[in-house]
Amino acid sequence: MKPEDKIKVHILGSCSGTEPYEGRHHTSVALETEKGLYWLDAGECCSYTAYLMGLDLLKTKGIFISHCHMDHVGGLGKLLWDIRKLTVVESRKLLADNLPVYVPYEESYQAVMQLLAHTEDDFKCPYTHEGRGVQDGILYAGGDDEDGITVEAVHNHHLKHEEGTPWRSFSFRIRMLGKTIFYSGDTEREDLEHTVPDDCDLLMIETGHHQIEQICNCLKAYGKKPKQLLFIHHGVKILNNPNWAEEEVKRQWGTGGMISHDRMTLTV
Ligand SMILES: [Zn+2]
């Protein structure tokens, strides 16, 4: 495999919606290839962390928000602001002419854009932003120049849903370079049966609402066999006991099980 055929998975924030926690930030993951950068949720400080890790924010091709809770959108405004800022201070262009931002509530997207509208230079950008909703199915499909990426949304029951109204909470299935990556967002365990693909190179599953053991048992019961299983979006039990969590994931899952931390990068 050539290095350009790899996907880097950067954990920019590994924490659930806790109060401020030293060394941890709210949830955000960036997927990086030679040709693009794709954001899964945008918790506080995600662009700050990414920039300091050496990621090129101007490679951004799409931003995908699983649901509109603060621990998933708190850094969205700053992410968009930082992208524009880099085009100004580095006199470089964003790789895309149009930046799609997928947000389950249009009002939340509009609110972020309104906030930005009164920042410096009225937030005029040499590219356009496009707020897009999130619904079940393929949200985004890049061509060959984007490694054939597809991002598919599949609803989950993290947020209450009433018959006949839009779903507001999603998990994402990402396929590119012959690989499949799953990102749970926040989810109910029962959702994993229909949301998680049977064959998967990397599963990222939240532990903010679950125990490691419960998730492992669930995945086994549903016959899911990911090559790598990465726990994200930790609650205080894992945050307060990271060494225990590392041992627990090995006990419950064995090889391929991992606990994420901020600024961690793995390759798929
Ligand atoms: Zn959350």
Side-chain angles (χ1 to χ4, degrees):
M1 179 182 276
K2 295 172 285 187
E4 60 266 32
D5 289 341
K6 291 199 169 153
I7 306 163
K8 285 185 187 163
V9 180
H10 303 285
I11 307 300
L12 308 170
S14 59
C15 185
S16 65
T18 66
E19 71 279 26
Y21 199 99
E22 190 172 358
R24 302 275 188 170
H25 290 111
H26 286 168
T27 299
S28 178
V29 174
L31 305 180
E32 182 189 20
T33 67
E34 292 278 296
K35 297 171 182 172
L37 190 63
Y38 306 87
W39 301 74
L40 306 174
D41 283 330
E44 55 177 356
C45 304
C46 59
S47 49
Y48 170 89
T49 304
Y51 182 79
L52 294 187
M53 285 172 73
L55 275 67
D56 183 2
L57 272 57
L58 297 184
K59 278 169 68 178
T60 297
K61 297 281 183 73
I63 299 167
F64 303 86
I65 302 296
S66 66
H67 66 293
C68 288
H69 283 173
M70 185 54 86
D71 54 327
H72 300 257
V73 296
L76 178 58
K78 180 64 160 47
L79 168 58
L80 297 176
W81 191 89
D82 278 338
I83 290 171
R84 178 191 176 277
K85 187 75 178 182
L86 290 173
T87 65
V88 175
V89 297
E90 297 186 2
S91 300
R92 289 196 298 136
K93 280 182 155 176
L94 181 68
L95 222 49
D97 297 325
N98 181 48
L99 179 55
V101 185
Y102 293 85
V103 183
Y105 276 96
E106 196 192 334
E107 305 91 302
S108 298
Y109 171 76
Q110 295 299 347
V112 168
M113 296 314 287
Q114 270 181 28
L115 181 75
L116 290 167
H118 304 295
T119 59
E120 63 193 45
D121 204 19
D122 299 328
F123 201 61
K124 282 194 207 78
C125 300
Y127 50 89
T128 51
H129 295 90
E130 186 181 350
R132 298 182 185 172
V134 182
Q135 58 286 315
D136 284 331
I138 302 290
L139 295 180
Y140 184 88
D144 286 346
D145 60 337
E146 283 187 67
D147 306 308
I149 185 173
T150 59
V151 180
E152 179 187 4
V154 51
H155 71 260
N156 62 50
H157 291 81
H158 174 57
L159 297 180
K160 252 202 188 79
H161 176 256
E162 281 171 30
E163 193 71 37
T165 63
W167 292 92
R168 299 297 192 185
S169 178
F170 293 86
S171 303
F172 297 125
R173 297 171 181 163
I174 302 99
R175 296 183 177 89
M176 66 174 144
L177 294 170
K179 299 289 171 62
T180 302
I181 293 173
F182 176 81
Y183 175 81
S184 71
D186 287 2
T187 187
E188 296 293 306
R189 279 195 300 286
E190 294 70 26
D191 289 316
L192 300 175
E193 182 171 16
H194 80 275
T195 56
V196 172
D198 291 340
D199 58 327
C200 202
D201 295 279
L202 172 65
L203 287 192
M204 289 182 273
I205 300 202
E206 64 118 340
T207 52
H209 302 89
H210 317 285
Q211 305 298 323
I212 293 168
E213 183 179 6
Q214 294 171 325
I215 294 289
C216 292
N217 289 341
C218 234
L219 292 174
K220 287 175 195 166
Y222 294 145
K224 309 297 183 184
K225 295 189 176 68
K227 291 197 183 82
Q228 299 187 81
L229 172 61
L230 178 69
F231 287 100
I232 57 172
H233 188 271
H234 308 311
V236 286
K237 183 172 176 185
I238 291 179
L239 296 174
N240 291 342
N241 306 280
N243 294 336
W244 165 83
E246 293 285 350
E247 288 162 21
E248 175 72 352
V249 76
K250 294 287 175 255
R251 264 196 300 276
Q252 301 297 338
W253 191 258
T255 314
M258 294 167 285
I259 301 291
S260 65
H261 54 83
D262 287 33
R263 302 190 175 207
M264 172 187 202
T265 296
L266 53 105
T267 303
V268 177

PDB file of all heavy atoms in Angstrom, residues 8-39:
ATOM      1  N   LYS A   8      -5.629   8.877   7.672  1.00  0.00           N
ATOM      2  CA  LYS A   8      -5.232   9.193   9.047  1.00  0.00           C
ATOM      3  C   LYS A   8      -6.477   9.637   9.817  1.00  0.00           C
ATOM      4  O   LYS A   8      -7.244  10.465   9.322  1.00  0.00           O
ATOM      5  CB  LYS A   8      -4.195  10.312   9.066  1.00  0.00           C
ATOM      6  CG  LYS A   8      -2.814   9.853   8.637  1.00  0.00           C
ATOM      7  CD  LYS A   8      -1.832  10.994   8.802  1.00  0.00           C
ATOM      8  CE  LYS A   8      -0.491  10.617   8.209  1.00  0.00           C
ATOM      9  NZ  LYS A   8       0.337  11.817   8.000  1.00  0.00           N
ATOM     10  N   VAL A   9      -6.632   9.102  11.004  1.00  0.00           N
ATOM     11  CA  VAL A   9      -7.771   9.444  11.847  1.00  0.00           C
ATOM     12  C   VAL A   9      -7.231  10.214  13.051  1.00  0.00           C
ATOM     13  O   VAL A   9      -6.507   9.656  13.879  1.00  0.00           O
ATOM     14  CB  VAL A   9      -8.509   8.163  12.303  1.00  0.00           C
ATOM     15  CG1 VAL A   9      -9.687   8.522  13.187  1.00  0.00           C
ATOM     16  CG2 VAL A   9      -8.953   7.345  11.086  1.00  0.00           C
ATOM     17  N   HIS A  10      -7.547  11.487  13.106  1.00  0.00           N
ATOM     18  CA  HIS A  10      -7.029  12.350  14.177  1.00  0.00           C
ATOM     19  C   HIS A  10      -8.113  12.586  15.224  1.00  0.00           C
ATOM     20  O   HIS A  10      -9.206  13.052  14.877  1.00  0.00           O
ATOM     21  CB  HIS A  10      -6.606  13.712  13.612  1.00  0.00           C
ATOM     22  CG  HIS A  10      -5.593  13.634  12.516  1.00  0.00           C
ATOM     23  ND1 HIS A  10      -4.271  13.348  12.746  1.00  0.00           N
ATOM     24  CD2 HIS A  10      -5.711  13.809  11.172  1.00  0.00           C
ATOM     25  CE1 HIS A  10      -3.603  13.361  11.597  1.00  0.00           C
ATOM     26  NE2 HIS A  10      -4.461  13.628  10.630  1.00  0.00           N
ATOM     27  N   ILE A  11      -7.796  12.297  16.458  1.00  0.00           N
ATOM     28  CA  ILE A  11      -8.740  12.558  17.553  1.00  0.00           C
ATOM     29  C   ILE A  11      -8.408  13.939  18.122  1.00  0.00           C
ATOM     30  O   ILE A  11      -7.377  14.133  18.764  1.00  0.00           O
ATOM     31  CB  ILE A  11      -8.627  11.487  18.665  1.00  0.00           C
ATOM     32  CG1 ILE A  11      -8.748  10.075  18.073  1.00  0.00           C
ATOM     33  CG2 ILE A  11      -9.662  11.744  19.757  1.00  0.00           C
ATOM     34  CD1 ILE A  11     -10.045   9.789  17.347  1.00  0.00           C
ATOM     35  N   LEU A  12      -9.298  14.885  17.874  1.00  0.00           N
ATOM     36  CA  LEU A  12      -9.052  16.269  18.308  1.00  0.00           C
ATOM     37  C   LEU A  12      -9.657  16.520  19.680  1.00  0.00           C
ATOM     38  O   LEU A  12      -9.209  17.392  20.416  1.00  0.00           O
ATOM     39  CB  LEU A  12      -9.615  17.232  17.278  1.00  0.00           C
ATOM     40  CG  LEU A  12      -9.123  16.926  15.850  1.00  0.00           C
ATOM     41  CD1 LEU A  12      -9.885  17.732  14.831  1.00  0.00           C
ATOM     42  CD2 LEU A  12      -7.626  17.146  15.737  1.00  0.00           C
ATOM     43  N   GLY A  13     -10.667  15.759  20.007  1.00  0.00           N
ATOM     44  CA  GLY A  13     -11.284  15.839  21.328  1.00  0.00           C
ATOM     45  C   GLY A  13     -11.891  14.492  21.664  1.00  0.00           C
ATOM     46  O   GLY A  13     -12.555  13.890  20.822  1.00  0.00           O
ATOM     47  N   SER A  14     -11.637  14.023  22.882  1.00  0.00           N
ATOM     48  CA  SER A  14     -12.044  12.657  23.238  1.00  0.00           C
ATOM     49  C   SER A  14     -13.039  12.623  24.389  1.00  0.00           C
ATOM     50  O   SER A  14     -13.346  11.575  24.916  1.00  0.00           O
ATOM     51  CB  SER A  14     -10.798  11.850  23.616  1.00  0.00           C
ATOM     52  OG  SER A  14     -10.139  12.482  24.704  1.00  0.00           O
ATOM     53  N   CYS A  15     -13.526  13.782  24.757  1.00  0.00           N
ATOM     54  CA  CYS A  15     -14.312  13.934  25.975  1.00  0.00           C
ATOM     55  C   CYS A  15     -15.797  14.115  25.633  1.00  0.00           C
ATOM     56  O   CYS A  15     -16.134  14.744  24.637  1.00  0.00           O
ATOM     57  CB  CYS A  15     -13.771  15.195  26.657  1.00  0.00           C
ATOM     58  SG  CYS A  15     -14.427  15.557  28.227  1.00  0.00           S
ATOM     59  N   SER A  16     -16.668  13.565  26.478  1.00  0.00           N
ATOM     60  CA  SER A  16     -18.106  13.804  26.313  1.00  0.00           C
ATOM     61  C   SER A  16     -18.454  15.174  26.891  1.00  0.00           C
ATOM     62  O   SER A  16     -17.563  15.943  27.243  1.00  0.00           O
ATOM     63  CB  SER A  16     -18.897  12.694  27.004  1.00  0.00           C
ATOM     64  OG  SER A  16     -18.674  12.756  28.395  1.00  0.00           O
ATOM     65  N   GLY A  17     -19.728  15.452  27.014  1.00  0.00           N
ATOM     66  CA  GLY A  17     -20.161  16.790  27.446  1.00  0.00           C
ATOM     67  C   GLY A  17     -20.022  17.026  28.935  1.00  0.00           C
ATOM     68  O   GLY A  17     -20.991  17.365  29.614  1.00  0.00           O
ATOM     69  N   THR A  18     -18.816  16.866  29.430  1.00  0.00           N
ATOM     70  CA  THR A  18     -18.569  17.134  30.853  1.00  0.00           C
ATOM     71  C   THR A  18     -18.287  18.618  31.044  1.00  0.00           C
ATOM     72  O   THR A  18     -18.178  19.378  30.078  1.00  0.00           O
ATOM     73  CB  THR A  18     -17.319  16.372  31.336  1.00  0.00           C
ATOM     74  OG1 THR A  18     -16.186  16.916  30.664  1.00  0.00           O
ATOM     75  CG2 THR A  18     -17.415  14.884  31.040  1.00  0.00           C
ATOM     76  N   GLU A  19     -18.133  19.013  32.295  1.00  0.00           N
ATOM     77  CA  GLU A  19     -17.582  20.336  32.581  1.00  0.00           C
ATOM     78  C   GLU A  19     -16.139  20.351  32.058  1.00  0.00           C
ATOM     79  O   GLU A  19     -15.589  19.282  31.759  1.00  0.00           O
ATOM     80  CB  GLU A  19     -17.628  20.608  34.097  1.00  0.00           C
ATOM     81  CG  GLU A  19     -16.663  19.815  34.942  1.00  0.00           C
ATOM     82  CD  GLU A  19     -17.154  18.400  35.260  1.00  0.00           C
ATOM     83  OE1 GLU A  19     -17.965  17.838  34.488  1.00  0.00           O
ATOM     84  OE2 GLU A  19     -16.686  17.855  36.274  1.00  0.00           O
ATOM     85  N   PRO A  20     -15.502  21.536  31.940  1.00  0.00           N
ATOM     86  CA  PRO A  20     -14.127  21.559  31.424  1.00  0.00           C
ATOM     87  C   PRO A  20     -13.235  20.566  32.167  1.00  0.00           C
ATOM     88  O   PRO A  20     -13.263  20.495  33.397  1.00  0.00           O
ATOM     89  CB  PRO A  20     -13.689  23.006  31.672  1.00  0.00           C
ATOM     90  CG  PRO A  20     -14.963  23.783  31.595  1.00  0.00           C
ATOM     91  CD  PRO A  20     -16.014  22.882  32.215  1.00  0.00           C
ATOM     92  N   TYR A  21     -12.480  19.794  31.387  1.00  0.00           N
ATOM     93  CA  TYR A  21     -11.678  18.710  31.957  1.00  0.00           C
ATOM     94  C   TYR A  21     -10.243  18.856  31.481  1.00  0.00           C
ATOM     95  O   TYR A  21      -9.991  18.898  30.264  1.00  0.00           O
ATOM     96  CB  TYR A  21     -12.263  17.361  31.507  1.00  0.00           C
ATOM     97  CG  TYR A  21     -11.825  16.204  32.382  1.00  0.00           C
ATOM     98  CD1 TYR A  21     -12.650  15.715  33.388  1.00  0.00           C
ATOM     99  CD2 TYR A  21     -10.570  15.629  32.216  1.00  0.00           C
ATOM    100  CE1 TYR A  21     -12.245  14.666  34.204  1.00  0.00           C
ATOM    101  CE2 TYR A  21     -10.149  14.592  33.036  1.00  0.00           C
ATOM    102  CZ  TYR A  21     -10.992  14.109  34.021  1.00  0.00           C
ATOM    103  OH  TYR A  21     -10.584  13.087  34.825  1.00  0.00           O
ATOM    104  N   GLU A  22      -9.311  18.932  32.395  1.00  0.00           N
ATOM    105  CA  GLU A  22      -7.916  19.191  32.022  1.00  0.00           C
ATOM    106  C   GLU A  22      -7.384  18.127  31.046  1.00  0.00           C
ATOM    107  O   GLU A  22      -7.521  16.930  31.285  1.00  0.00           O
ATOM    108  CB  GLU A  22      -7.035  19.225  33.271  1.00  0.00           C
ATOM    109  CG  GLU A  22      -5.640  19.730  32.931  1.00  0.00           C
ATOM    110  CD  GLU A  22      -4.779  19.978  34.164  1.00  0.00           C
ATOM    111  OE1 GLU A  22      -5.275  19.797  35.293  1.00  0.00           O
ATOM    112  OE2 GLU A  22      -3.621  20.348  33.973  1.00  0.00           O
ATOM    113  N   GLY A  23      -6.794  18.605  29.956  1.00  0.00           N
ATOM    114  CA  GLY A  23      -6.162  17.693  29.002  1.00  0.00           C
ATOM    115  C   GLY A  23      -7.125  17.043  28.027  1.00  0.00           C
ATOM    116  O   GLY A  23      -6.705  16.247  27.182  1.00  0.00           O
ATOM    117  N   ARG A  24      -8.413  17.360  28.145  1.00  0.00           N
ATOM    118  CA  ARG A  24      -9.407  16.747  27.250  1.00  0.00           C
ATOM    119  C   ARG A  24     -10.320  17.818  26.692  1.00  0.00           C
ATOM    120  O   ARG A  24     -10.677  18.770  27.397  1.00  0.00           O
ATOM    121  CB  ARG A  24     -10.281  15.761  28.026  1.00  0.00           C
ATOM    122  CG  ARG A  24      -9.531  14.643  28.704  1.00  0.00           C
ATOM    123  CD  ARG A  24      -9.294  13.486  27.751  1.00  0.00           C
ATOM    124  NE  ARG A  24      -8.726  12.341  28.472  1.00  0.00           N
ATOM    125  CZ  ARG A  24      -8.594  11.124  27.960  1.00  0.00           C
ATOM    126  NH1 ARG A  24      -8.987  10.878  26.718  1.00  0.00           N
ATOM    127  NH2 ARG A  24      -8.067  10.156  28.658  1.00  0.00           N
ATOM    128  N   HIS A  25     -10.717  17.638  25.456  1.00  0.00           N
ATOM    129  CA  HIS A  25     -11.712  18.535  24.872  1.00  0.00           C
ATOM    130  C   HIS A  25     -12.876  17.739  24.311  1.00  0.00           C
ATOM    131  O   HIS A  25     -12.773  16.537  24.084  1.00  0.00           O
ATOM    132  CB  HIS A  25     -11.074  19.402  23.786  1.00  0.00           C
ATOM    133  CG  HIS A  25     -10.128  20.414  24.349  1.00  0.00           C
ATOM    134  ND1 HIS A  25      -8.773  20.355  24.162  1.00  0.00           N
ATOM    135  CD2 HIS A  25     -10.350  21.489  25.134  1.00  0.00           C
ATOM    136  CE1 HIS A  25      -8.187  21.356  24.805  1.00  0.00           C
ATOM    137  NE2 HIS A  25      -9.122  22.058  25.405  1.00  0.00           N
ATOM    138  N   HIS A  26     -13.965  18.462  24.091  1.00  0.00           N
ATOM    139  CA  HIS A  26     -15.180  17.829  23.574  1.00  0.00           C
ATOM    140  C   HIS A  26     -14.933  17.198  22.195  1.00  0.00           C
ATOM    141  O   HIS A  26     -13.966  17.525  21.511  1.00  0.00           O
ATOM    142  CB  HIS A  26     -16.307  18.861  23.487  1.00  0.00           C
ATOM    143  CG  HIS A  26     -16.893  19.240  24.815  1.00  0.00           C
ATOM    144  ND1 HIS A  26     -17.731  20.315  24.983  1.00  0.00           N
ATOM    145  CD2 HIS A  26     -16.761  18.668  26.049  1.00  0.00           C
ATOM    146  CE1 HIS A  26     -18.104  20.401  26.253  1.00  0.00           C
ATOM    147  NE2 HIS A  26     -17.519  19.422  26.917  1.00  0.00           N
ATOM    148  N   THR A  27     -15.889  16.397  21.799  1.00  0.00           N
ATOM    149  CA  THR A  27     -15.695  15.441  20.702  1.00  0.00           C
ATOM    150  C   THR A  27     -15.487  16.049  19.318  1.00  0.00           C
ATOM    151  O   THR A  27     -16.277  16.885  18.867  1.00  0.00           O
ATOM    152  CB  THR A  27     -16.920  14.508  20.665  1.00  0.00           C
ATOM    153  OG1 THR A  27     -16.968  13.825  21.914  1.00  0.00           O
ATOM    154  CG2 THR A  27     -16.825  13.506  19.534  1.00  0.00           C
ATOM    155  N   SER A  28     -14.434  15.600  18.660  1.00  0.00           N
ATOM    156  CA  SER A  28     -14.206  15.921  17.252  1.00  0.00           C
ATOM    157  C   SER A  28     -13.146  14.973  16.688  1.00  0.00           C
ATOM    158  O   SER A  28     -12.179  14.640  17.379  1.00  0.00           O
ATOM    159  CB  SER A  28     -13.735  17.371  17.092  1.00  0.00           C
ATOM    160  OG  SER A  28     -13.482  17.660  15.733  1.00  0.00           O
ATOM    161  N   VAL A  29     -13.388  14.542  15.467  1.00  0.00           N
ATOM    162  CA  VAL A  29     -12.455  13.650  14.774  1.00  0.00           C
ATOM    163  C   VAL A  29     -12.247  14.208  13.369  1.00  0.00           C
ATOM    164  O   VAL A  29     -13.209  14.651  12.730  1.00  0.00           O
ATOM    165  CB  VAL A  29     -13.047  12.215  14.670  1.00  0.00           C
ATOM    166  CG1 VAL A  29     -12.160  11.322  13.816  1.00  0.00           C
ATOM    167  CG2 VAL A  29     -13.255  11.604  16.050  1.00  0.00           C
ATOM    168  N   ALA A  30     -11.016  14.188  12.884  1.00  0.00           N
ATOM    169  CA  ALA A  30     -10.774  14.579  11.483  1.00  0.00           C
ATOM    170  C   ALA A  30     -10.173  13.393  10.740  1.00  0.00           C
ATOM    171  O   ALA A  30      -9.256  12.738  11.239  1.00  0.00           O
ATOM    172  CB  ALA A  30      -9.837  15.777  11.426  1.00  0.00           C
ATOM    173  N   LEU A  31     -10.711  13.126   9.572  1.00  0.00           N
ATOM    174  CA  LEU A  31     -10.169  12.089   8.694  1.00  0.00           C
ATOM    175  C   LEU A  31      -9.352  12.789   7.624  1.00  0.00           C
ATOM    176  O   LEU A  31      -9.846  13.706   6.962  1.00  0.00           O
ATOM    177  CB  LEU A  31     -11.297  11.297   8.025  1.00  0.00           C
ATOM    178  CG  LEU A  31     -12.329  10.658   8.955  1.00  0.00           C
ATOM    179  CD1 LEU A  31     -13.376   9.904   8.131  1.00  0.00           C
ATOM    180  CD2 LEU A  31     -11.666   9.735   9.963  1.00  0.00           C
ATOM    181  N   GLU A  32      -8.122  12.345   7.451  1.00  0.00           N
ATOM    182  CA  GLU A  32      -7.233  13.025   6.513  1.00  0.00           C
ATOM    183  C   GLU A  32      -6.660  12.042   5.498  1.00  0.00           C
ATOM    184  O   GLU A  32      -6.180  10.968   5.867  1.00  0.00           O
ATOM    185  CB  GLU A  32      -6.075  13.671   7.280  1.00  0.00           C
ATOM    186  CG  GLU A  32      -5.130  14.446   6.391  1.00  0.00           C
ATOM    187  CD  GLU A  32      -3.864  14.900   7.126  1.00  0.00           C
ATOM    188  OE1 GLU A  32      -3.533  14.331   8.179  1.00  0.00           O
ATOM    189  OE2 GLU A  32      -3.215  15.810   6.615  1.00  0.00           O
ATOM    190  N   THR A  33      -6.734  12.430   4.233  1.00  0.00           N
ATOM    191  CA  THR A  33      -5.993  11.721   3.188  1.00  0.00           C
ATOM    192  C   THR A  33      -5.122  12.763   2.490  1.00  0.00           C
ATOM    193  O   THR A  33      -5.147  13.949   2.846  1.00  0.00           O
ATOM    194  CB  THR A  33      -6.927  11.072   2.144  1.00  0.00           C
ATOM    195  OG1 THR A  33      -7.582  12.107   1.417  1.00  0.00           O
ATOM    196  CG2 THR A  33      -7.971  10.179   2.802  1.00  0.00           C
ATOM    197  N   GLU A  34      -4.384  12.320   1.490  1.00  0.00           N
ATOM    198  CA  GLU A  34      -3.588  13.270   0.702  1.00  0.00           C
ATOM    199  C   GLU A  34      -4.479  14.364   0.118  1.00  0.00           C
ATOM    200  O   GLU A  34      -4.059  15.502  -0.046  1.00  0.00           O
ATOM    201  CB  GLU A  34      -2.919  12.536  -0.464  1.00  0.00           C
ATOM    202  CG  GLU A  34      -1.855  11.553  -0.054  1.00  0.00           C
ATOM    203  CD  GLU A  34      -0.529  12.228   0.211  1.00  0.00           C
ATOM    204  OE1 GLU A  34       0.030  12.781  -0.751  1.00  0.00           O
ATOM    205  OE2 GLU A  34      -0.069  12.205   1.364  1.00  0.00           O
ATOM    206  N   LYS A  35      -5.730  13.991  -0.206  1.00  0.00           N
ATOM    207  CA  LYS A  35      -6.582  14.873  -1.005  1.00  0.00           C
ATOM    208  C   LYS A  35      -7.608  15.678  -0.233  1.00  0.00           C
ATOM    209  O   LYS A  35      -8.278  16.546  -0.804  1.00  0.00           O
ATOM    210  CB  LYS A  35      -7.287  14.041  -2.073  1.00  0.00           C
ATOM    211  CG  LYS A  35      -6.313  13.412  -3.054  1.00  0.00           C
ATOM    212  CD  LYS A  35      -6.997  12.419  -3.960  1.00  0.00           C
ATOM    213  CE  LYS A  35      -5.989  11.774  -4.896  1.00  0.00           C
ATOM    214  NZ  LYS A  35      -6.577  10.680  -5.668  1.00  0.00           N
ATOM    215  N   GLY A  36      -7.785  15.380   1.025  1.00  0.00           N
ATOM    216  CA  GLY A  36      -8.826  16.117   1.739  1.00  0.00           C
ATOM    217  C   GLY A  36      -8.821  15.887   3.234  1.00  0.00           C
ATOM    218  O   GLY A  36      -8.139  14.993   3.753  1.00  0.00           O
ATOM    219  N   LEU A  37      -9.584  16.740   3.897  1.00  0.00           N
ATOM    220  CA  LEU A  37      -9.748  16.675   5.351  1.00  0.00           C
ATOM    221  C   LEU A  37     -11.256  16.765   5.623  1.00  0.00           C
ATOM    222  O   LEU A  37     -11.936  17.654   5.083  1.00  0.00           O
ATOM    223  CB  LEU A  37      -9.005  17.858   5.984  1.00  0.00           C
ATOM    224  CG  LEU A  37      -8.833  17.892   7.491  1.00  0.00           C
ATOM    225  CD1 LEU A  37      -7.989  16.715   7.979  1.00  0.00           C
ATOM    226  CD2 LEU A  37      -8.158  19.199   7.912  1.00  0.00           C
ATOM    227  N   TYR A  38     -11.749  15.823   6.426  1.00  0.00           N
ATOM    228  CA  TYR A  38     -13.185  15.707   6.673  1.00  0.00           C
ATOM    229  C   TYR A  38     -13.403  15.659   8.179  1.00  0.00           C
ATOM    230  O   TYR A  38     -12.756  14.873   8.873  1.00  0.00           O
ATOM    231  CB  TYR A  38     -13.732  14.430   6.020  1.00  0.00           C
ATOM    232  CG  TYR A  38     -13.390  14.348   4.549  1.00  0.00           C
ATOM    233  CD1 TYR A  38     -12.178  13.782   4.129  1.00  0.00           C
ATOM    234  CD2 TYR A  38     -14.246  14.873   3.582  1.00  0.00           C
ATOM    235  CE1 TYR A  38     -11.833  13.743   2.785  1.00  0.00           C
ATOM    236  CE2 TYR A  38     -13.914  14.834   2.226  1.00  0.00           C
ATOM    237  CZ  TYR A  38     -12.700  14.265   1.844  1.00  0.00           C
ATOM    238  OH  TYR A  38     -12.364  14.233   0.514  1.00  0.00           O
ATOM    239  N   TRP A  39     -14.322  16.497   8.649  1.00  0.00           N
ATOM    240  CA  TRP A  39     -14.523  16.639  10.098  1.00  0.00           C
ATOM    241  C   TRP A  39     -15.783  15.910  10.530  1.00  0.00           C
ATOM    242  O   TRP A  39     -16.854  16.125   9.947  1.00  0.00           O
ATOM    243  CB  TRP A  39     -14.653  18.117  10.467  1.00  0.00           C
ATOM    244  CG  TRP A  39     -13.452  18.928  10.090  1.00  0.00           C
ATOM    245  CD1 TRP A  39     -13.091  19.321   8.823  1.00  0.00           C
ATOM    246  CD2 TRP A  39     -12.436  19.449  10.959  1.00  0.00           C
ATOM    247  NE1 TRP A  39     -11.924  20.047   8.861  1.00  0.00           N
ATOM    248  CE2 TRP A  39     -11.505  20.143  10.156  1.00  0.00           C
ATOM    249  CE3 TRP A  39     -12.241  19.404  12.348  1.00  0.00           C
ATOM    250  CZ2 TRP A  39     -10.384  20.779  10.697  1.00  0.00           C
ATOM    251  CZ3 TRP A  39     -11.130  20.036  12.880  1.00  0.00           C
ATOM    252  CH2 TRP A  39     -10.214  20.713  12.059  1.00  0.00           C
TER     253      TRP A  39
END
